[in-house]
């Protein structure tokens, strides 16, 4: 599936706008891991590195991979045109919602 995104939006916001099954229970405040996404390995190096806080939150998610990221932490830029992202099979809602 190909979706349109506006620069400045987070990948979580893009998912919501396109009715994708990405929960984002904390609203994008990095307090859960329900916006866990898997970035195509060809794109990982083109993204800013995950912060320590993001990495710690990802440690709590189900099915973390080395190319896992939180959608709330990645902002769309023109340089990311064509970015390939997958949804994990499952996610864990640490907020219990």
């Amino acid at each position: 599936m190909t979706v349109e995104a506006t620069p400045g939006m987070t990948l979580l916001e893009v998912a919501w706008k396109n009715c994708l099954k990405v929960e984002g229970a904390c609203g994008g405040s990095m307090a859960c891991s329900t916006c866990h996404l898997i970035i195509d390995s060809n794109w990982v190096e083109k993204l800013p590195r995950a912060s320590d806080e993001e990495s710690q939150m990802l440690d709590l998610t189900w099915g973390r991979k080395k190319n896992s990221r939180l959608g709330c932490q990645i902002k769309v830029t023109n340089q990311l045109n064509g970015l390939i992202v997958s949804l994990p099979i499952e996610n864990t809602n640490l907020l219990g919602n």
Side-chain angles (χ1 to χ4, degrees):
M1 164 187 276
T2 300
V3 299
E4 295 289 322
T6 304
M9 293 176 75
T10 65
L11 292 184
L12 174 59
E13 293 167 332
V14 172
W16 286 343
K17 181 181 176 188
N18 290 279
C19 301
L20 300 177
K21 293 187 178 194
V22 179
E23 185 176 357
C26 70
S29 64
M30 200 168 41
C32 72
S33 61
T34 61
C35 66
H36 173 212
L37 302 173
I38 301 168
I39 306 299
D40 183 88
S41 59
N42 293 320
W43 285 89
V44 172
E45 296 299 320
K46 297 175 185 176
L47 297 175
R49 289 185 160 265
S51 67
D52 290 341
E53 186 178 358
E54 180 182 358
S55 185
Q56 290 170 0
M57 187 58 64
L58 283 165
D59 283 343
L60 302 173
T61 194
W62 184 89
R64 180 183 184 172
K65 298 177 183 272
K66 65 181 181 176
N67 52 332
S68 289
R69 294 295 302 270
L70 296 179
C72 67
Q73 297 304 297
I74 300 172
K75 289 203 180 242
V76 173
T77 65
N78 290 330
Q79 291 76 23
L80 296 180
N81 187 21
L83 177 67
I84 300 170
V85 178
S86 300
L87 300 177
I89 296 170
E90 284 188 46
N91 67 35
T92 303
N93 183 344
L94 298 175
L95 296 176
N97 293 340

